[in-house]
Amino acid sequence: MNREQEPILDELKNETPATDEAGSPWRSPWVHRWAVLLVCLTWPLIWVGGLVTTYDAGMAVPDWPATYGYNMFLYPWTTWLLGPFDLLIEHGHRLLASLVGLITIAMLVAAVWSRQPRWIVRLCIVALVGVILQGALGGARVVMDARTVAMIHGCFGPAFFVLCWMIAGVSSRWWQATDAPSVPRTAVRWGAALAISSYVQLILGAQLRHMPVDAGDSFFRHIVFSHLTGAALVAVLSVITAWKLRRCGDLTLSRIGLGLIGLLILQWSLGLGTWFVNYGSPWALSQWPSLARYVIVAKGWTESMIVTGHMATGSLILALACWTWLRASRRCENSSFAKPAFD
């Protein structure tokens, strides 16, 4: 070996990731497993949190972090399981959030213990800080009894959900695969635009759900118009992104694009149902006898499931849009994600 070859070999050694006995570039699968578990628990947590807002149950437990003077984890289970429904979902929301926090800690410990790349450890640290901040916002909502804090709390939860989804993706074996077709930069840009617009749309929806009681008619119409315009924009961007991904030849990305379209159709249906159960039919009921016989029951089961489902599906669309952008960026030849980053 001559002196000219030595720098090349040193460079290859620095770029080659450490492998375990099975030859995997990741030292432990537990970060990915904990992240997947977080994804599976955070979305139901968002759903239960949406039920708390739908039922106006945010103050069903007036103290925090205690529950009617009890330690949160020692509160009699018969009282909250067999008690009023608003107490059930509010205290259950707290317990599920505590479980998510403990799993986030476990994910960070697994990342440090298995000596994952520094950027993955940092993502896990950000996730832990995020879940602590989200818990503090939830507590501040109770202590201050402020709807604005509740709205911020509701917007921050989906962002944490997206972060867990991203950690699950980048800690998987797929992230190191390099045999898939490349993705053009235009697809990455459309994916980024879809992700940003999805989150803005989610914020507008949160504003509509937490509308101040003293808000005027003009402000309400402005938020409704903005939300409907945002829905149309997300629909257009979803179709364009799905079409771009289908043309790149990556079957997995094509399926993600179709999944976005399917979720979008479901979201539009739930949005129409949400308007109907909250504000009545937008058409003349005399022309629709079947709708005229429908009676809206305030805080009823059907109304609550439709409204909460609309909110929770928006979080799914946001997560899938961000994942679409990340996967497309990983396949883009000129992107910084194209090469794995290892210590």
Side-chain angles (χ1 to χ4, degrees):
M1 179 172 51
N2 55 42
R3 294 182 178 273
E4 295 179 355
Q5 293 175 324
E6 290 180 358
I8 299 177
L9 292 178
D10 291 338
E11 184 178 354
L12 290 175
K13 288 179 182 179
N14 293 331
E15 291 185 355
T16 302
T19 60
D20 56 18
E21 295 179 358
S24 171
W26 304 106
R27 296 177 176 86
S28 173
W30 279 105
V31 174
H32 176 69
R33 292 171 181 174
W34 287 122
V36 170
L37 182 58
L38 274 178
V39 171
C40 295
L41 289 178
T42 303
W43 193 68
L45 179 62
I46 291 175
W47 186 287
V48 177
L51 281 178
V52 171
T53 300
T54 303
Y55 277 95
D56 289 329
M59 296 302 295
V61 181
D63 52 344
W64 182 89
T67 300
Y68 287 103
Y70 287 87
N71 181 293
M72 182 192 307
F73 305 104
L74 301 180
Y75 188 69
W77 65 270
T78 54
T79 303
W80 70 276
L81 281 180
L82 304 178
F85 185 70
D86 56 350
L87 174 62
L88 171 67
I89 56 178
E90 168 61 15
H91 186 64
H93 183 61
R94 294 185 180 190
L95 294 180
L96 185 55
S98 300
L99 178 60
V100 168
L102 292 175
I103 293 175
T104 306
I105 295 174
M107 180 179 66
L108 175 58
V109 171
V112 175
W113 174 77
S114 60
R115 296 191 301 174
Q116 295 288 337
R118 281 195 299 265
W119 61 280
I120 289 187
V121 175
R122 289 167 184 164
L123 283 178
C124 295
I125 293 175
V126 172
L128 180 58
V129 173
V131 76
I132 293 174
L133 178 59
Q134 179 71 344
L137 286 171
R141 186 265 181 272
V142 174
V143 174
M144 300 171 60
D145 191 13
R147 295 181 67 90
T148 301
V149 178
M151 184 182 69
I152 298 173
H153 180 65
C155 294
F156 197 78
F160 174 77
F161 177 56
V162 170
L163 179 59
C164 295
W165 195 311
M166 299 302 101
I167 295 175
V170 300
S171 61
S172 65
R173 294 181 182 273
W174 170 88
W175 186 255
Q176 292 304 313
T178 58
D179 56 347
S182 60
V183 175
R185 181 171 290 274
T186 54
V188 178
R189 291 172 179 171
W190 284 112
L194 174 61
I196 294 172
S197 61
S198 297
Y199 193 65
V200 173
Q201 175 71 350
L202 187 145
I203 294 175
L204 291 172
Q207 178 66 67
L208 197 57
R209 277 172 62 83
H210 296 274
M211 184 66 60
V213 293
D214 57 347
D217 293 341
S218 59
F219 180 74
F220 175 76
R221 287 194 297 268
H222 174 73
I223 296 298
V224 170
F225 178 78
S226 300
H227 192 57
L228 293 176
T229 304
L233 177 61
V234 170
V236 172
L237 291 176
S238 297
V239 172
I240 295 176
T241 302
W243 178 66
K244 291 286 185 179
L245 295 178
R246 187 175 181 82
R247 293 189 61 188
C248 73
D250 190 326
L251 182 60
T252 301
L253 287 174
S254 299
R255 290 173 177 173
I256 292 177
L258 292 177
L260 276 171
I261 299 299
L263 282 177
L264 191 67
I265 295 174
L266 175 62
Q267 183 72 337
W268 272 75
S269 302
L270 290 172
L272 181 61
T274 297
W275 181 273
F276 184 84
V277 298
N278 280 342
Y279 310 113
S281 172
W283 308 286
L285 291 180
S286 59
Q287 301 177 5
W288 301 82
S290 59
L291 295 180
R293 293 195 300 267
Y294 182 81
V295 178
I296 300 176
V297 179
K299 309 304 179 185
W301 179 258
T302 302
E303 178 196 15
S304 300
M305 291 300 105
I306 291 176
V307 174
T308 306
H310 180 61
M311 180 276 303
T313 304
S315 298
L316 277 180
I317 292 176
L318 173 64
L320 195 57
C322 292
W323 181 232
T324 300
W325 166 76
L326 191 64
R327 289 187 68 120
S329 299
R330 182 71 177 91
R331 295 304 182 197
C332 184
E333 295 180 353
N334 298 324
S335 172
S336 58
F337 289 109
K339 295 181 180 180
F342 290 95
D343 291 341

